């Protein structure tokens, strides 16, 4: 279903774009089952790794539909930029999530009841047929419809009473589109932590309607439990540091957060290019091979495209020792600086900044105009960003 190439992403966009208007708005909430998701674009694995850019998707949709008929689809695409920007304003959320996850993984070892309930949930053995079906679909395909993700997360938190972080981790290490911002923030949104006190309760009638009668669950929680967490600090607007290159002799580094380096506005072509992926697990638990392979092949695809477009050979490294690899490469290529696409909050940012901190040359992060324009509007609720969408589309020349 999802081949990690730009061609496959474009092909999917072309086959979907005619439906991105009123048809999408009317049918997008229906989850007809695995292999039956043509009512939504299913572009998320490619968009997540930027094998296709939000700008391309929005421009293509705007060329075929009026804003009013495609508004629903367009605003869904902006939800991704919203969550990315929201996390940029509050990086501590990612730190807390990782810390809590580590503690809960330890608790699984000492708490037999928690461990039994957790294993039943991820193996699809809870006896709640829709939930068990989605657990299996996720593991088998690496994808779930948005509505199924909402129902699944809600049942996980409020009916099964499992910690939300363990559920977010189960998604993150199985989804082809597993993303630190979209995934963590969406789980927090369902849990009532994103908009304080506003949680999402999965209703049996809603599940029955929108799964076209495939499921009629009983015994689901009717009330949300209030989850607690420490007060968040005041959001800090994302900074966009200088992108001045100290020298022409720089190396370009690619990673899983952005696999379209050939579309960057660079002052001059780099002297060398390096594509880095990491085979180590995404969390304390193992990563599904479907998700791991999609990511490493997406980075490889970036390297191949860049080489073809520029003629510059790109070294492709799938190895966890980024510090050593970078040091050897910088020395052998005699580089004066490194450049990379802006690293959003998440594990790749942490890993690459750690590796670069041991080098004596600067790392220049190039922020895409789309992120530079969207993120500042993601300080609070989505409504604040939604009001800006027509203006953003015009500013970015996407309509
Ligand atoms: C609990 C939970 C976890 C999620 N985890 C992820 C994740 O790890 N990665 C991820 O990309 N999305 C995540 N989502 C958001 C959403 O479910 C998927 O983006 C969407 O289902 C992907 O299918 P699609 O491409 O057919 O979407 P479409 O409906 O066709 O939407 C088009 C594009 O808009 C973006 N988008 C749509 N809805 C959302 C949303 N609510 N939040 C952010 N972006 C959105 C995606 O890039 C998507 O490809 C999560 C949602 C929930 C409720």
């Amino acid at each position: 279903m999802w081949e990690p190439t730009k061609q496959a992403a474009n092909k999917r966009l072309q086959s979907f774009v005619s439906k991105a208007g009123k048809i999408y708005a009317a049918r997008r909430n229906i989850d007809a089952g695995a292999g039956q998701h043509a009512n939504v674009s299913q572009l998320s694995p490619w968009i997540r790794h930027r094998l296709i850019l939000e700008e391309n998707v929005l421009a293509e949709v705007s060329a075929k539909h009026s804003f009013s008929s495609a508004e629903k689809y367009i605003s869904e695409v902006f939800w991704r930029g919203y969550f990315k920007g929201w996390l940029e304003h509050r990086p501590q959320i990612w730190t807390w999530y990782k810390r809590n996850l580590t503690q809960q993984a330890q608790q699984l070892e000492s708490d037999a009841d928690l461990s039994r309930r957790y294993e039943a949930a991820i193996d699809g053995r809870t006896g709640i047929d829709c939930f068990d079906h989605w657990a299996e679909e996720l593991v088998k395909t690496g994808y779930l419809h948005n509505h199924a993700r909402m129902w699944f997360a809600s049942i996980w938190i409020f009916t099964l009473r499992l910690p939300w972080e363990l559920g977010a981790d189960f998604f993150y290490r199985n989804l082809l589109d597993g993303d630190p911002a979209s995934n963590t923030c969406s789980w927090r949104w369902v849990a009532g932590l994103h908009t304080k006190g506003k949680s999402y309760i999965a209703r049996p009638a809603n599940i029955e309607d929108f799964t076209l009668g495939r499921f009629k669950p009983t015994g689901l929680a009717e009330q949300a439990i209030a989850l607690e967490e420490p007060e968040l600090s005041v959001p800090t607007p994302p900074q966009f540091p200088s992108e001045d290159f100290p020298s022409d002799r720089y190396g370009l580094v690619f990673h899983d957060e952005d696999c379209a380096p050939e579309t960057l506005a660079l002052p001059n072509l780099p002297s060398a290019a390096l594509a880095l992926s990491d085979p180590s697990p995404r969390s304390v638990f193992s990563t599904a091979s479907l998700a791991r392979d999609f990511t490493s092949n997406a980075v490889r695809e970036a390297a191949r495209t860049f080489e073809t477009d520029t003629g510059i050979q790109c070294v492709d490294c799938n190895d966890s020792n980024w510090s050593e690899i970078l040091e050897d490469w910088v020395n052998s290529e005699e580089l004066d600086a490194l450049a990379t696409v802006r690293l959003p909050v998440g594990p790749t940012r942490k890993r690459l900044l750690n590796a670069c901190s041991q080098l004596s040359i600067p790392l220049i992060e190039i922020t895409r105009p789309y992120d530079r324009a969207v993120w500042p509007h993601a300080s609070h609720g989505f409504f604040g960003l939604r009001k800006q969408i027509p203006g953003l589309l015009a500013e970015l020349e996407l309509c």
Side-chain angles (χ1 to χ4, degrees):
M1 280 290 288
W2 289 274
E3 192 190 310
T5 65
K6 289 165 198 281
Q7 255 178 329
N10 278 317
K11 200 169 154 205
R12 175 65 55 79
L13 174 60
Q14 292 312 326
S15 71
F16 174 76
V17 70
S18 64
K19 292 183 275 184
K22 298 239 177 320
I23 299 180
Y24 176 82
R27 299 184 55 83
R28 69 185 190 97
N29 281 326
I30 298 170
D31 173 9
Q36 308 289 322
H37 296 310
N39 54 324
V40 289
S41 70
Q42 301 170 83
L43 281 168
S44 53
W46 292 292
I47 296 178
R48 185 294 174 233
H49 296 91
R50 289 201 157 151
L51 279 169
I52 193 165
L53 300 172
E54 285 107 313
E55 292 95 306
N56 301 138
V57 176
L58 293 168
E60 200 69 26
V61 169
S62 299
K64 300 266 182 336
H65 302 274
S66 66
F67 178 72
S68 60
S69 71
E71 187 175 3
K72 198 67 218 166
Y73 186 76
I74 291 171
S75 71
E76 289 306 312
V77 174
F78 274 97
W79 266 101
R80 176 180 141 84
Y82 167 69
F83 280 144
K84 290 299 254 190
W86 201 88
L87 202 59
E88 292 300 310
H89 281 83
R90 299 165 184 82
Q92 78 193 106
I93 291 286
W94 179 251
T95 316
W96 284 359
Y97 159 69
K98 295 296 284 181
R99 184 201 56 203
N100 293 350
L101 181 63
T102 307
Q103 285 169 0
Q104 285 153 8
Q106 284 160 358
Q107 208 187 330
L108 283 176
E109 294 189 0
S110 58
D111 183 337
D113 175 59
L114 178 67
S115 172
R116 183 186 50 74
R117 292 187 297 115
Y118 169 74
E119 292 295 335
I122 64 172
D123 291 348
R125 291 184 283 103
T126 63
I128 304 170
D129 58 357
C130 54
F131 183 94
D132 293 346
H133 171 90
W134 294 318
E136 190 184 330
E137 182 181 347
L138 172 62
V139 170
K140 277 198 176 144
T141 68
Y143 177 87
L144 280 183
H145 184 282
N146 180 58
H147 224 161
R149 295 184 201 209
M150 290 161 62
W151 295 319
F152 185 97
S154 176
I155 296 171
W156 179 287
I157 299 167
F158 301 122
T159 300
L160 301 175
R161 302 264 184 138
L162 286 163
W164 73 266
E165 293 92 338
L166 286 175
D169 174 69
F170 176 55
F171 267 28
Y172 183 55
R173 56 200 175 80
N174 277 285
L175 283 169
L176 302 185
D177 63 32
D179 181 90
S182 293
N183 189 52
T184 315
C185 295
S186 296
W187 274 83
R188 289 174 54 81
W189 180 86
V190 172
L193 295 169
H194 185 77
T195 312
K196 280 269 175 285
K198 195 166 170 244
S199 38
Y200 176 78
I201 280 284
R203 303 274 177 213
N206 180 264
I207 295 176
E208 184 178 352
D209 278 358
F210 288 101
T211 59
L212 308 177
R214 288 183 301 127
F215 301 109
K216 299 178 184 179
T218 52
L220 302 189
E222 291 175 12
Q223 300 272 315
I225 32 163
L227 302 186
E228 301 286 329
E229 72 174 2
E231 201 58 40
L232 281 172
S233 42
V234 179
T236 320
Q239 300 299 306
F240 301 108
S242 153
E243 296 179 7
D244 288 342
F245 284 59
S247 147
D248 284 354
R249 204 164 172 77
Y250 74 94
L252 188 61
V253 180
F254 316 155
H255 45 72
D256 61 338
E257 292 286 356
D258 195 304
C259 294
E262 75 285 357
T263 64
L264 285 176
L266 298 167
N268 59 285
L269 282 176
S271 311
L274 176 70
L276 286 174
S277 48
D278 186 344
S280 47
R282 289 182 185 177
S283 80
V284 282
F285 302 106
S286 63
T287 307
S289 56
L290 271 181
R292 192 194 54 218
D293 293 350
F294 188 93
T295 299
S296 55
N297 286 327
V299 178
R300 193 158 296 138
E301 164 80 357
R304 208 167 31 228
T305 312
F306 191 76
E307 252 180 36
T308 312
D309 284 12
T310 63
I312 297 170
Q313 203 205 344
C314 181
V315 182
D316 170 23
C317 263
N318 184 20
D319 189 305
S320 49
N321 195 351
W322 288 9
S323 301
E324 204 173 300
I325 292 166
L326 273 171
E327 195 178 352
D328 290 350
W329 181 65
V330 164
N331 290 335
S332 67
E333 297 290 341
E334 300 178 9
L335 301 170
D336 296 328
L338 293 180
T340 192
V341 185
R342 167 71 179 248
L343 290 150
V345 173
T348 305
R349 174 173 189 79
K350 193 167 172 212
R351 201 169 292 144
L352 193 53
L353 292 189
N354 273 347
C356 288
S357 68
Q358 289 156 40
L359 303 172
S360 55
I361 59 172
L363 172 72
I364 297 133
E365 289 188 62
I366 307 161
T367 310
R368 287 193 179 277
Y370 180 86
D371 297 335
R372 197 181 274 272
V374 173
W375 289 355
H377 298 294
S379 59
H380 292 87
F382 180 69
F383 187 65
L385 171 60
R386 204 177 77 186
K387 282 190 300 196
Q388 306 296 329
I389 292 177
L392 287 167
L393 290 174
E395 179 189 331
L396 294 161
E397 298 180 11
L398 301 175
C399 59

